[in-house]
Amino acid sequence: MMRLNLNQLAIFAKVIECGGFSAAAQVLFLSQSSVSKQVQNLETSLRTALVDRSGPRTRPTPAGRVLLAQTKEILALADHAVGAVQAAARWPIERLVVGSTTAVGDYLLPAVMRELRRREPDGLFTVTLNSPECLTGALEQGRIGVGVADGPLPPGRYESEQLASHDMVLICSPDHPLAGKEVTPAELSCESFLLLEPGSRTRGQLLELLHTWDLVGARTLDLWGTESVREAVRIGLGVSLLPRCSVRFELLHGVLAELHVTPAPLPRTVTANWTLARPLSTYEELLLSLLHEVAGTPTATPHRPAELSAT
């Protein structure tokens, strides 16, 4: 099977771009004879003429136009491959950027970062918190390699894996008259429900629960961030829905209390997501392994480039 020579393809493309062998030779800092020879060798290997040399300006033949279009894609892929390899080789000079939705990042990622720091003390790590929509965009554009979300992301140019299924809990202040009790939705009709920022999966789940509980007209208050919701609930501003993992300490020490309501909130699925635009680096592979370890799920098969391209 014949294999194309990338150097010959690049020279051929430059000849067509510059409109002649002499002009291309000047741009490439090569002799005109060397440029001409490389193109001739390419034509010989393909057994067809690629360049029309009859006019004042060099033009591609019909076969040359086909090859030129393919060449641009081939060279772009080659540049992408080089960039991916160089990015992987620059660790720990470059930062490992981890994206997460707000509701997950504040309780899952600190333990992951601690373990990552223990194993790679010289590594540079950054955690960015986003809405699900922003997280999807960051993955699509390659601004983050791995993103953690509270639920599956819409289909796109990335792969997803389930990390855990976490219970959701309706929380109230410890001195709330219904704290710790079994309650019906009707008993919550006078409550103020504290909502996370628009776009949050937790917000959407609480709004769905209000519909299920026939409490669509209940009072609501918009807040931003899990910490602000926890504090607002603690001081009695209202009740809210959060993952049990994020309020385990507060429930254990009586800082917050739980309202046991039927039907109960459904569990939350936490997923790890990574871009298919490039292979995962060694340290992104390590990050995925640690996410599974901290979340308590078995580590999946390593995500090698061949496997990614097949999915």
Side-chain angles (χ1 to χ4, degrees), residues 23 29 71 88 91-92 101 122 132 135 177 186 210 215 222 239-240 243 261 264 275 296 310:
F29 298 101
T71 294
W91 180 275
T101 53
D122 295 326
L135 187 67
L210 292 179
L215 296 176
D222 290 348
V239 302
S240 191
V261 61
T275 177

Side-chain angles (χ1 to χ4, degrees), residues 51-71:
V51 178
D52 182 353
R53 300 167 173 81
S54 62
R57 182 177 177 85
T58 301
R59 297 172 300 172
T61 64
R65 284 195 293 272
V66 172
L67 180 63
L68 182 62
Q70 299 293 326
T71 294

Side-chain angles (χ1 to χ4, degrees), residues 151-303:
L153 294 178
R157 293 172 58 240
Y158 46 80
E159 187 63 87
S160 297
E161 251 178 23
Q162 181 172 329
L163 293 175
S165 179
H166 291 160
D167 289 339
M168 302 295 292
V169 55
L170 193 68
I171 54 174
C172 62
S173 65
D175 56 358
H176 192 287
L178 299 177
K181 296 181 179 180
E182 297 283 346
V183 299
T184 64
E187 293 177 277
L188 301 174
S189 59
C190 295
E191 297 292 338
S192 292
F193 291 87
L194 309 182
L195 300 172
L196 278 169
E197 63 274 5
S200 163
R201 288 267 164 75
T202 305
R203 176 192 181 95
Q205 188 173 358
L206 181 50
L207 290 174
E208 289 176 6
L209 276 172
L210 292 179
H211 185 272
T212 300
W213 293 338
D214 197 24
L215 296 176
V216 175
R219 291 176 295 175
T220 61
L221 176 63
D222 290 348
L223 296 173
W224 189 276
T226 304
E227 184 57 42
S228 65
V229 169
R230 280 196 296 252
E231 178 61 17
V233 171
R234 185 190 69 81
I235 64 176
L237 194 58
V239 302
S240 191
L241 183 75
L242 285 177
R244 186 178 297 275
C245 294
S246 69
V247 291
R248 182 184 293 115
F249 178 88
E250 289 83 355
L251 292 174
L252 178 64
H253 294 279
V255 178
L256 295 173
E258 181 177 357
L259 291 169
H260 303 278
V261 61
T262 303
L266 295 175
R268 159 83 52 77
T269 298
V270 179
T271 60
N273 310 269
W274 59 95
T275 177
L276 294 177
R278 60 171 174 79
L280 290 175
S281 70
T282 300
Y283 294 96
E284 286 167 343
E285 292 276 10
L286 173 60
L287 173 63
L288 276 177
S289 176
L290 292 178
L291 283 168
H292 279 282
E293 183 178 312
V294 171
T297 56
T299 303
T301 303
H303 309 91

